[in-house]
């Protein structure tokens, strides 16, 4: 049966939701048909989680009608995890199948002389729920979701571990309807891929909120966007949504241009007065009034995420040489060598608990290696965004959190008013005076980015920066990081983010095995598949045959080739006299190019930018893009010349 013809399992009719004076959902309808997998997207604060809670029966401050078929089991995964801290993981997960377990208990407790039809009825119901395989499913889910040992108490778990247990609890009873709020949060790449396969094959009707664009592409059969209190439906996956949304925006822009052109044409006629217009033109006047009073299409503002221009590096940025690290008696990795070069954006991925965050703390100096050397350059300025978001104070207002007693922030070498700076991160006047503790998860993450990124630095360390960000803000963050001329090391399970931003991948593949691969995430995957298929043999560090190109995958436990591998020197020529002179003057050339970028960026950060340079926006933007591209080219050329000088 086609999804369009499938029966409706859940519906919301003329749903109206307000919070205070703000309308979140304005008399909208939503239908979910059997077997649909629907992705719910929209800006942070638009009301997505509120809508999911209403559909799940968790919230009741709305008007309209919610209807779900009474014979269907519906399970809801909330962002705020609630487990019984005094029960084991096993007990918490099985609690998700409470009704099925009660049926099994009733069946097993039937007296021998019970009526046969009652036993048959219970047995059929349990079989329909696949209840006899609960223990098998428990084992499979616990393994696939990498939950901790089942006999541990839930109260001893971290937030990420509780999230995995809650997801297993949601799936254990194989409900017909799943409402999932950010199901991929705190999951590693391997587990997300398992969940994609599970849901893509599941006959359950799913409505989920997620920022994972690969997930939306692989699982969705329809996208519903919540924008300006309206719900817009798009058949197909996320890629198809992007195409249809672009068409919708083009049509809306065309209609708006026609409306404005009509108003301009009619305005002179309207101004002539009643005598000139005649007495039979009331319909024409009404059409003009309707056009004037019609609302323009909603325009969503984007975060203006500009990173302060970084200071230039010295000869060494950050270098790890033969580093080994263990925690709690467990070896995380050994013999790791890594050399960061200007413009390098390293993506770090792998299952939780393998040492990714510990690697960042080595670079920060918060941890010391068991052996080997971690050397940080004298001019390297680290800036760290922590995945646990502990840097915010709930009892302060937003403006107090950013201003820290001042009415301005330093952006590079310029002062920017706190309110101006916060509005770049989409905080409106009433939100700027709100207590931090009252912000949503997405708003807190935007505030954290605003707070930490203003501190600048030429080496950014980001630990799961994409959690709770909406898709539009994610895109802006990605573009800002792609334009950042400093260095970046980012721990992330967001494959789309890794693919767009990263120039190199360091993968923690388990059992102390680390693999370094030049290129983006997709290229890493291709090379990994080749290695698993045996077509590209793993090459131990330091044993690369002359003239070959290493696969950057090491057979030795935890060994990783340095960013500049010895095997890459084959075929590289010595520097000519002209190139030697070019290298000697390169720092001065880069400094001048960066100064030009800084001057242009200073114009854009000027609070009076539109008054001073409004007519030059396109020209200045082109100049800034060209200046940044020149800096990147110079850094790449500097790296090439320096590597050739060192290798010969």
């Amino acid at each position: 049966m086609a999804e369009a013809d499938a029966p409706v399992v859940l519906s919301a009719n003329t749903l109206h939701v307000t919070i205070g004076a703000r309308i979140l959902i304005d008399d909208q309808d939503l239908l979910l048909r059997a077997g649909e997998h629907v992705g719910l997207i929209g800006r942070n604060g638009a009301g997505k989680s509120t809508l999911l809670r209403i559909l799940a029966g968790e919230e009741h401050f709305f008007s309209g009608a919610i209807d779900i078929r009474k014979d269907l089991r519906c399970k809801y995964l909330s962002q705020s995890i609630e487990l019984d801290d005094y029960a084991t993981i096993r007990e918490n997960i099985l609690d998700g199948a409470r009704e099925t377990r009660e049926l099994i208990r009733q069946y097993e407790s039937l007296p021998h002389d019970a009526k046969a039809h009652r036993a048959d009825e219970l047995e059929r119901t349990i079989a329909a729920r696949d209840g006899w395989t609960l223990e098998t499913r428990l084992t499979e889910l616990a393994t696939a979701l990498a939950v901790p040992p089942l006999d541990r108490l839930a109260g001893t778990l971290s937030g990420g571990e509780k999230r995995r247990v809650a997801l297993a609890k949601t799936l254990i009873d194989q409900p017909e309807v799943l409402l999932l709020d950010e199901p991929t949060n705190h999951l590693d790449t391997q587990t997300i891929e398992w969940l994609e396969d599970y849901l893509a094959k599941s006959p359950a009707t799913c409505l989920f909120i997620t920022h994972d664009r690969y997930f939306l592409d692989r699982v969705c059969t329809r996208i519903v966007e919540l924008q300006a209190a309206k719900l817009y439906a798009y058949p197909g996956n996320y890629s198809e949504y992007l195409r249809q949304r672009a068409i919708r925006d083009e049509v809306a822009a065309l209609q708006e241009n026609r409306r404005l052109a009509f108003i301009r044409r009619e305005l002179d006629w309207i101004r002539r007065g009643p005598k000139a217009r005649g007495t039979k033109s009331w319909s024409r006047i009404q059409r003009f009034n309707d056009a004037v009073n019609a609302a323009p299409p909603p325009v969503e503002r984007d975060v203006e995420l500009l990173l302060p221009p970084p200071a230039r590096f010295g000869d060494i940025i950050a270098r790890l040489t033969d580093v080994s690290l263990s925690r709690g008696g467990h070896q995380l990795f050994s013999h790791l060598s890594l050399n960061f070069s200007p413009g390098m954006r390293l993506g770090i991925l792998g299952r939780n608990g393998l040492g990714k965050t510990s690697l960042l703390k080595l670079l920060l100096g918060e941890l010391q290696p068991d052996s080997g050397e971690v050397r940080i350059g004298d001019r390297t300025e680290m800036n760290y965004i922590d995945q646990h978001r502990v840097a915010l104070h709930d009892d302060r207002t937003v403006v107090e959190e950013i201003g820290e007693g001042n009415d301005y922030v330093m952006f590079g070498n310029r002062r920017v008013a706190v309110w101006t700076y916060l509005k770049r991160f989409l905080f409106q006047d009433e939100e700027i005076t709100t207590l931090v503790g009252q912000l949503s998860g997405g708003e807190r993450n935007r505030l954290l980015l605003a707070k930490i990124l203003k501190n600048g630095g030429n080496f950014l360390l980001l630990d799961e920066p994409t959690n709770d960000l909406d898709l539009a803000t994610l895109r802006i963050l990605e573009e800002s990081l792609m334009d950042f001329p400093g260095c970046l090391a980012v721990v992330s399970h967001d494959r789309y983010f890794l693919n767009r931003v990263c120039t190199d991948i360091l993968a923690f593949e388990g059992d102390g095995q680390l693999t370094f691969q030049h290129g983006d995430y997709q290229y890493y995957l291709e090379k990994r598949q080749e290695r698993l298929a045996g077509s590209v043999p793993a090459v131990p560090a330091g044993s690369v045959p002359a003239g070959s190109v290493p696969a950057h995958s090491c057979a030795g436990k935890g060994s990783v080739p340095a960013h500049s591998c010895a095997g890459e020197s084959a075929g590289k020529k010595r520097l000519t006299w002209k190139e030697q002179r070019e290298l000697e003057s390169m720092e001065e050339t880069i400094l001048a190019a960066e100064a030009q970028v800084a001057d242009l960026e200073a114009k854009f950060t000027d609070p009076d930018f539109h008054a001073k340079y409004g007519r030059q926006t396109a020209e200045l933007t082109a100049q800034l893009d060209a200046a940044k591209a020149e800096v990147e080219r110079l850094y790449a050329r500097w790296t090439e010349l320096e590597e050739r000088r060192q290798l010969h």
Side-chain angles (χ1 to χ4, degrees), residues 5 12 55 171 175 228 246 273 312 323 329 342 345 372 383 396 436 521:
D5 301 323
L55 297 177
L171 301 177
R312 66 188 183 97
V323 168
R345 300 190 294 272
N383 195 350
R396 294 180 181 175
V436 172
Y521 174 75

Side-chain angles (χ1 to χ4, degrees), residues 22 24 43-48 440 443 446 470:
R22 184 184 174 198
L24 289 182
R43 287 294 181 90
N44 285 336
K48 303 186 300 298
S440 69
E443 291 167 335
R446 269 192 280 128
D470 58 54

Side-chain angles (χ1 to χ4, degrees), residues 463-478:
D463 200 350
E464 294 291 355
T466 65
N467 281 354
D468 299 320
L469 290 182
D470 58 54
L471 295 175
T473 305
L474 265 178
R475 176 177 56 81
I476 300 299
L477 175 62
E478 289 165 352

Side-chain angles (χ1 to χ4, degrees), residues 61-267:
F61 55 95
F62 65 92
S63 62
I66 306 292
D67 182 43
I68 182 169
R69 274 173 41 188
K70 293 181 179 179
D71 58 326
L72 296 182
R73 285 165 292 146
C74 178
K75 295 292 184 180
Y76 167 56
L77 177 69
S78 170
Q79 283 198 54
S80 56
I81 302 303
E82 294 184 4
L83 299 176
D84 183 350
D85 288 345
Y86 299 100
T88 65
I89 292 175
R90 170 188 292 276
E91 291 166 339
N92 272 284
I93 294 176
L94 288 176
D95 188 55
R98 188 184 311 169
E99 294 177 3
T100 300
R101 294 176 72 203
E102 174 60 21
L103 293 173
I104 294 173
R105 188 196 65 76
Q106 291 179 24
Y107 177 83
E108 292 176 342
S109 63
L110 280 175
H112 293 296
D113 57 349
K115 293 182 180 180
H117 78 273
R118 176 55 178 160
D120 290 342
E121 179 186 350
L122 283 172
E123 189 170 11
R124 285 195 302 270
T125 304
I126 294 168
R129 291 170 172 253
D130 202 14
W132 303 116
T133 63
L134 269 180
E135 285 294 331
T136 301
R137 287 207 302 278
L138 171 64
T139 302
E140 291 173 349
L141 286 170
T143 302
L145 295 173
V147 303
L150 295 177
D151 57 355
R152 274 184 61 181
L153 290 178
T156 66
L157 302 180
S158 67
E161 291 170 333
K162 286 186 175 181
R163 185 77 179 171
R164 292 166 180 268
V165 172
L167 183 55
K169 177 181 176 180
T170 304
L171 301 177
I172 185 70
D173 204 29
Q174 297 179 324
E176 290 92 350
V177 179
L178 284 168
L179 305 175
L180 308 176
D181 197 345
E182 295 289 0
T184 64
N185 270 7
H186 301 292
L187 299 185
D188 55 69
T189 304
Q190 183 177 341
T191 308
I192 292 173
E193 290 173 350
W194 173 87
L195 184 61
E196 286 173 349
D197 290 335
Y198 180 91
L199 292 178
K201 297 173 183 175
S202 172
T205 303
C206 305
L207 176 64
F208 47 80
I209 300 168
T210 182
H211 67 268
D212 190 313
R213 288 151 289 185
Y214 278 177
F215 190 94
L216 290 168
D217 249 350
R218 288 198 61 196
V219 179
C220 283
T221 60
R222 184 159 61 104
I223 299 289
V224 172
E225 182 178 23
L226 178 54
Q227 181 194 23
K230 304 292 184 184
L231 291 171
Y232 300 91
Y234 302 86
N237 62 8
Y238 180 70
S239 296
E240 183 62 18
Y241 151 76
L242 290 176
R243 187 187 70 81
Q244 294 180 59
R245 170 66 192 267
I247 294 173
R248 190 190 110 198
D249 289 345
E250 289 177 5
V251 170
L254 181 61
Q255 291 174 342
E256 176 65 4
N257 289 337
R258 288 175 177 170
R259 182 181 75 90
L260 296 176
F262 172 77
I263 292 173
R264 286 193 296 269
R265 288 196 307 270
E266 295 293 281
L267 188 59

Side-chain angles (χ1 to χ4, degrees), residues 559-595:
S559 60
V560 182
H563 180 59
S564 301
C565 294
E568 293 178 348
S569 62
K572 290 189 176 181
K573 297 180 180 180
R574 293 179 180 273
L575 294 180
T576 64
W577 181 87
K578 184 177 180 181
E579 288 172 333
Q580 290 175 357
R581 303 286 80 76
E582 181 185 1
L583 179 59
E584 291 172 0
S585 62
M586 187 60 75
E587 288 193 38
E588 183 178 345
T589 304
I590 290 176
L591 186 62
E594 288 179 334

